[in-house]
Amino acid sequence: MPLPAGMILEPVQGEGGVIPAPDAWLRRMRAITADRSIPLIADEVQTGVGRTGRFWAVEHSGVVPDVMVLSKAIGGSLPLAVVVYRDDLDVWQPGAHAGTFRGNQLAMAAGTATLAYVREHRLAERAQTLGARMLDQLRSLATEFPCVGEVRGRGLMIGVELVRAEEDREAVSPGSGDFASLDTAGAGPRPAAPELAAAVQRECLRRGLIVELGGRHASVVRLLPR
Ligand SMILES: Cc1ncc(COP(=O)(O)O)c(C=O)c1O
């Protein structure tokens, strides 16, 4: 049987609802792929360039992938997407990987400047500090408001899961898939509250803050710095 061409994963699932990969799981994936010579591809499109509190999110787990795919923050607001890979995976001849918008000079310059700026100003460390503070405060909201379910994330990549009130628990059958993804207070998962998440998103926008929704039921309010 042919081996898979690669294994791709996000160190913190973004659209999936801000779910950080457990460090031990990520290390295990690294070991499994290394043993079989399968390239491990880290999708750091959302997690890269300091947002999670380390320059690359894989650093949290001490894992070195063979390939990284980057986009979004790396362009410093200009459209730029980059694939970084080990030398020995570079089998293209110079000029073979051509395309209309490849190697845009202005975006490349912006990307280089962005990487230097983030490093020089230690923005990853800052994301770590601010993120820890935000997680603390958001988690304290969870103890105050039953509609706040799990609060999770790394650095400033944070997700706040909104759930329906305790009394709604019986209204949803356990097999329906309507539950928020993870247990919160040890009492079992509560039903997801996508309407409430949409209301929070609208109110944030009204106050000048753009937040995304994610997760299987679009019930996770996602915070991610530009
Ligand atoms: C985690 C992740 N990977 C890949 C992509 C695709 O990136 P691009 O739009 O640069 O092709 C996205 C886009 O939203 C993303 O969020």
Side-chain angles (χ1 to χ4, degrees):
M1 202 173 68
L3 284 174
M7 180 187 179
I8 186 161
L9 52 80
E10 285 177 89
V12 181
Q13 270 188 7
E15 307 301 320
V18 191
I19 304 182
D23 292 331
W25 179 84
L26 210 51
R27 285 196 281 270
R28 182 88 184 106
M29 292 305 116
R30 175 65 288 187
I32 290 171
T33 48
D35 286 350
R36 292 161 181 78
S37 302
I38 297 168
L40 178 66
I41 306 162
D43 180 338
E44 294 245 14
V45 164
Q46 293 200 21
T47 53
V49 196
R51 284 168 165 177
T52 71
R54 303 295 284 268
F55 208 93
W56 308 116
V58 284
E59 291 175 56
H60 288 285
S61 316
V63 158
V64 179
D66 303 296
V67 181
M68 290 210 302
V69 291
L70 311 169
S71 183
K72 302 200 195 298
I74 196 161
S77 295
L78 288 187
L80 179 65
V82 181
V83 185
V84 185
Y85 43 85
R86 279 201 339 247
D87 259 1
D88 57 300
L89 295 174
D90 188 7
V91 293
W92 294 92
Q93 294 303 313
H97 194 213
T100 309
F101 297 115
R102 307 276 158 79
N104 181 284
Q105 299 291 299
L106 188 59
M108 290 291 184
T112 308
T114 300
L115 291 178
Y117 188 93
V118 172
R119 263 194 217 292
E120 278 160 27
H121 293 81
R122 305 172 72 84
L123 295 190
E125 286 90 329
R126 181 142 175 83
Q128 182 63 44
T129 309
L130 293 181
R133 200 187 303 164
M134 278 189 74
L135 276 178
D136 266 2
Q137 295 192 354
L138 289 167
R139 282 182 179 141
S140 73
L141 284 183
T143 59
E144 210 177 319
F145 298 100
C147 62
V148 179
E150 198 180 52
V151 176
R152 51 182 184 254
R154 273 193 148 155
L156 279 172
M157 184 170 180
I158 292 173
V160 179
E161 192 151 56
L162 294 180
V163 292
R164 287 184 4 221
E166 203 61 22
E167 57 270 24
D168 283 347
R169 195 190 290 268
E170 278 94 48
V172 180
S173 75
S176 70
D178 279 347
F179 284 93
S181 57
L182 296 170
D183 191 357
T184 51
R190 281 177 280 160
E195 306 81 15
L196 183 57
V200 169
Q201 186 186 37
R202 278 195 303 276
E203 182 57 21
C204 286
L205 186 60
R206 200 183 65 75
R207 297 188 192 194
L209 177 67
I210 297 174
V211 296
E212 298 253 18
L213 299 182
R216 202 145 63 94
H217 307 289
S219 60
V220 178
V221 176
R222 304 182 49 210
L223 307 173
L224 195 64
R226 271 292 281 167

